[in-house]
Each structure stands twice: as C-alpha cells, then as structure tokens.
Amino acid sequence: MYQRRLKQKAMLLICMLFFLLILMIRNSDTDSEEEAPNEAQKLVIPEEEETPAPDEVWELPGANAVIRVLLLGDGGGIYHKNKELDKEYPGELQYYEEAQGWVIINEVPLEEYLCRVVPSEMPSGYAAEALKAQAVCARTYAVWQMQEYAYPEYKAHVNDSVSYQVYNNVESQEETRQAVENTAGQIMLYGDGPVKAYYFATSCGSTTDENIWEKGDRNQTPYIAGRRVGTSETVRDLTDEKVFAKFIKKKHAGDLEIAEPWYRWSCYVPLGQIQKNVEKWIQIRAARTGDGILLKDGENYVWPDADTIGEVQEAEITKRNTGGAVQEMVITGKEGTLKIKYEYNIRLMLGIPGEKIQKNDGNESEGGNLLSSGYFVLEPVEKDGKLDGYQVYGGGLGHGAGISQNGARILAEQGYRYDEILKYFYKGIRLARLE
C-alpha cells in the first residue's frame, strides 16, 4: 500500500514537472524578447551576394569638388545684420547685400567641409570605424544635395543647419579629420546614383523609410527600407497600433541600443500645451509642407485658413509608417479638427519646451519644441474625471530613417568595419570613390 502511494506521488510529480517544462518552452517561444539583457548580442551582418569593387568611380562632382554653404543668421533666418561672423571659416566667404540684411555664402572644398561636419554631427570620441561611417554618410549626403541648389538665387547647395548637415558648429578635430582622410572621396551608390544618406542619433530597435516626410518616396529609395536593429528574428507588424504599443513599452533582448539613454523614454503632454503648439505652428507648417497640416471641412480636409482650433479636446494617432513611426495624427478642438501628417509636424505638435523627459537610463532631460522621436504611443490621463493630457511612451532620438549613429558606434565597438556598418543600415548599397 505504502509503495503504491509513493509511486502515485512520484508519477504526479513527474507529470507536474513535464507540464511546467511545456509552459516554459511556450513562454520562451512567444516572449523571447520580454526580458532585456544588459547589452545586445553581437550582430551577424549578412554578406552581399556580390562584393562591390572598391575601385568603382563616380565622376560628379569630382574629387576636387567645392560646395557652397549658406550660413544662417541669428534665429535661423538667412539674413545677417552685418558681415562679421563669430567664428573662422575655411575657403572663401561671399556676401550678398539685400534689403533685409547680408546673405553670406561659404564656398569651401568638399573634403574640408566634411572636416567640420563630422565632428558637428558625431562626437569625436566615438570609435574610429563609426567616425569613418559617418564621414561616408556626410560626403554622400553632400554629393546628393550638390545635384541642385537649395538656394538657386545664391547658387548655394545647402545651409549649415540640421535641415541639411550641421557645419562648423564644432571645429575640426584630429579624430574626425582622420576619418575624413581615411575615407577620402568615398560615397555610397545604389543603382545608378548616390544615395540619400539620412542618419539620426538613436533607434528604438526599429527604423523606418523616407515616407515619413512629405516628399519621401520609398519606391525611389529601397535602400532605406526600415528594419529591426538587433539580433531579434521576431516578426511584428509595427504599423498596427496594438502591436506597436506592446513593442515600445518594453525592452527587447537583442536590440542593439538597448542600453542607450534614448532607447526608451516617457513624458507628459498636457492638452493645453498641444493647443499652444497648434497655434504656434499651424500656419508656419501648413505653408511649408503642403498637405502636412489640413483642417476638416465637412467630410474633407482642406488647407487651414485659421490659426487655432480652439481648446484642444483630443489627440489620436491614426496611421503608422514602416517600423512604427507615427505617420498621421488627428487633433480635435472645440472650433475645428486638424489632420497632422509626417513625423516632423507631428513631433512639433507634441513638443514640451521646458518640461521633463524620463530617459531609459533613469535620468531626466529637458524637452524642447520637438518631441524626441516619432516612435511613441499616447495614453490618456484624466484629471477630475476629464481628459487632461497624455502620457507619452516612446523610443529613439531623431527621425529614425537611415543609419543610427549610436548603433554605428556600438557595431564599431564590436569590431565591425565602417563598410559593414553602412551595409547593415543601407540595404544593397555599394561604395565608390569620387574622381
């Protein structure tokens, strides 16, 4: 009798252990990314089917190209009160006297221009291979912009701000100059021309394509396809609101930038702040982005002829782009409803100047006019039974298209060469040199 009961208990224990083992395996299969390690695993970069020849030549604009940069004045306008500048510039300065003030153009050799772009866009203390990747990106972006003039009346290709590439905000550094020299003349090509070498600071574990902008066309830039940044093979439709909400509110094992301060962040945006943002930006952005700001008129949305929609009552995300970036949002006010399209416009409408943002590393950062990224969800917060604002849960820093600069840094620290880093973020590109 005693032995029979002992056998029964042993069998019961075995069955329970077997059942627990099945549960553990199933949980491992479905939630393999829920527990985040301290750092991402080493990535495996797929080899191209055909290794591009490093000696491929691109003839325009040539190895000795000169770029013309419009230097913006105080407040971001193109006019200066006088001809004196507060810093030194290489190359030649040209002055155009207008009724509103002076327009100043810096004509400078492309390689010398890059020596003042790379340290302005990436810290010189980053790993050498990351700096070289940045140098190739900056050169490629400049060459792409040099195909036409951004300011044709002054024959200027770019300005010196974040609208193009930040130039001479930081003087040339030894490490960044070395990166420029070690990649002299190298650019990225896709098909029969230079690529749009977009870059940004930090990814949330996912990137997007250029449809986040009003003139973007993903069919023309298949090399900016959007991808998961890390070792995860889990397939998610991040354009789905519920799927993306689950994704962005957690850390995922294998994400390359999981330990970065801006990998995840959160902040609070009151309805009153959204109203201020709308009234500040509605006309400015409507004038600059075509269909980026539209006012509801019956069943249609039209160009806004008002500078307010009254007291804001609600904000809702209505569309996401590749990788989860917010593509469209509707803001409802007492006097009207706005449809906001494209990530930059959307980030402006949710900016929190002077307020705090909680970052992934536990520290706080001060918010600005622009929300940290377009990768976020909105959770309603009520006060006294009435909607007061939104708790925003987001990830990443910057627009999220192209190469992540901190991702490039981490890959470089793991031993990857700059060409491997570039091929990881830009699908199907090849390197060539200017001649």
Side-chain angles (χ1 to χ4, degrees):
M1 175 83 64
Y2 175 79
Q3 288 183 341
R4 186 171 60 190
R5 288 181 180 176
L6 189 61
K7 287 182 181 180
Q8 289 175 344
K9 289 181 179 180
M11 288 297 296
L12 180 60
L13 181 60
I14 291 171
C15 290
M16 290 176 66
L17 288 172
F18 183 74
F19 180 73
L20 286 172
L21 181 61
I22 292 175
L23 285 177
M24 289 173 66
I25 292 172
R26 292 181 62 183
N27 286 337
S28 175
D29 289 339
T30 58
D31 297 317
S32 61
E33 292 193 355
E34 300 306 318
E35 293 297 324
N38 292 328
E39 58 183 29
Q41 302 170 33
K42 188 175 176 70
L43 296 185
V44 176
I45 301 179
E47 292 185 3
E48 300 291 334
E49 293 182 4
E50 183 177 353
T51 302
D55 292 331
E56 183 175 356
V57 170
W58 182 256
E59 294 184 352
L60 295 175
N64 298 316
V66 173
I67 188 169
R68 290 174 59 84
V69 187
L70 186 145
L71 307 179
L72 295 180
D74 294 337
I78 70 171
Y79 301 107
H80 297 254
K81 292 180 180 179
N82 51 60
K83 297 168 66 174
E84 285 74 31
L85 297 171
D86 60 0
K87 61 180 72 172
E88 299 265 336
Y89 285 87
E92 178 185 346
L93 292 175
Q94 298 177 1
Y95 304 91
Y96 298 82
E97 187 174 11
E98 306 285 7
Q100 302 94 323
W102 292 93
V103 176
I104 304 177
I105 305 298
N106 184 198
E107 186 173 281
V108 58
L110 176 59
E111 296 298 306
E112 192 62 38
Y113 165 76
L114 295 171
C115 287
R116 287 164 171 77
V117 168
V118 176
S120 297
E121 291 283 4
M122 177 178 278
S124 60
Y126 276 22
E129 295 300 305
L131 293 173
K132 286 195 276 187
Q134 177 67 54
V136 175
C137 286
R139 185 181 295 106
T140 306
Y141 186 82
V143 167
W144 186 83
Q145 291 290 343
M146 290 170 71
Q147 295 176 100
E148 58 185 41
Y149 294 119
Y151 300 90
E153 63 272 41
Y154 307 110
K155 294 185 177 179
H157 302 103
V158 295
N159 67 39
D160 60 351
S161 77
V162 293
S163 296
Y164 296 91
Q165 298 187 107
V166 180
Y167 167 60
N168 209 27
N169 187 50
V170 177
E171 293 182 358
S172 178
Q173 306 289 310
E174 180 180 351
E175 297 87 351
T176 51
R177 179 174 286 276
Q178 193 69 45
V180 172
E181 292 176 355
N182 287 342
T183 61
Q186 292 185 31
I187 63 171
M188 291 181 286
L189 300 180
Y190 184 91
D192 58 359
V195 309
K196 296 180 184 179
Y198 299 122
Y199 51 88
F200 62 99
T202 304
S203 86
C204 67
S206 176
T207 66
T208 190
D209 59 52
E210 72 160 355
N211 274 28
I212 52 171
W213 298 303
E214 59 271 19
K215 295 181 181 179
D217 182 356
R218 63 168 67 99
N219 296 319
Q220 299 299 316
T221 54
Y223 47 86
I224 308 175
R227 61 160 302 147
R228 288 283 279 114
V229 183
T231 58
S232 171
E233 296 181 357
T234 302
V235 177
R236 291 182 173 88
D237 179 9
L238 296 179
T239 64
D240 181 271
E241 192 65 27
K242 290 183 178 179
V243 173
F244 182 79
K246 184 178 179 182
F247 168 79
I248 202 67
K249 288 170 133 184
K250 295 183 179 180
K251 300 181 182 182
H252 303 276
D255 278 2
L256 185 62
E257 291 152 282
I258 194 168
E260 290 300 300
W262 286 103
Y263 168 75
R264 290 288 180 270
W265 49 264
S266 66
C267 62
Y268 181 65
V269 184
L271 292 182
Q273 182 61 57
I274 298 176
Q275 182 179 338
K276 290 179 183 178
N277 296 339
V278 168
E279 292 170 353
K280 180 177 180 179
W281 297 112
I282 181 173
Q283 290 299 321
I284 295 173
R285 296 307 299 173
R288 293 183 182 177
T289 61
D291 66 341
I293 308 287
L294 299 172
L295 182 66
K296 190 172 186 180
D297 182 15
E299 296 299 317
N300 301 313
Y301 282 91
V302 299
W303 198 90
D305 57 1
D307 57 9
T308 183
I309 55 172
E311 182 182 347
V312 170
Q313 299 173 315
E314 184 184 28
E316 180 186 7
I317 296 168
T318 53
K319 186 177 180 181
R320 293 187 182 276
N321 192 38
T322 302
V326 178
Q327 184 77 6
E328 186 176 290
M329 182 173 70
V330 171
I331 300 176
T332 303
K334 282 189 175 181
E335 299 173 19
T337 299
L338 284 179
K339 179 183 289 185
I340 315 295
K341 298 170 65 177
Y342 314 120
E343 65 94 33
Y344 190 84
N345 292 335
I346 291 166
R347 290 167 66 191
L348 280 175
M349 295 304 174
L350 296 175
I352 50 169
E355 299 301 322
K356 298 299 182 183
I357 301 175
Q358 301 291 328
K359 298 192 297 185
N360 187 50
D361 60 1
N363 293 320
E364 288 186 341
S365 185
E366 188 170 301
N369 288 328
L370 201 64
L371 196 66
S372 304
S373 81
Y375 297 83
F376 63 86
V377 292
L378 301 174
E379 281 202 356
V381 176
E382 291 189 352
K383 186 176 181 180
D384 299 326
K386 183 181 178 181
L387 182 65
D388 183 69
Y390 294 93
Q391 188 67 32
V392 182
Y393 296 95
L397 182 63
H399 53 68
I403 187 171
S404 163
Q405 292 169 304
N406 280 308
R409 187 203 86 233
I410 294 169
L411 287 176
E413 291 170 350
Q414 292 180 351
Y416 290 98
R417 301 188 313 268
Y418 73 96
D419 58 321
E420 293 175 315
I421 295 169
L422 293 170
K423 290 172 185 176
Y424 178 74
F425 285 102
Y426 301 106
K427 184 179 179 181
I429 60 97
R430 63 191 191 277
L431 291 179
R433 57 184 173 84
L434 298 176
E435 186 173 283

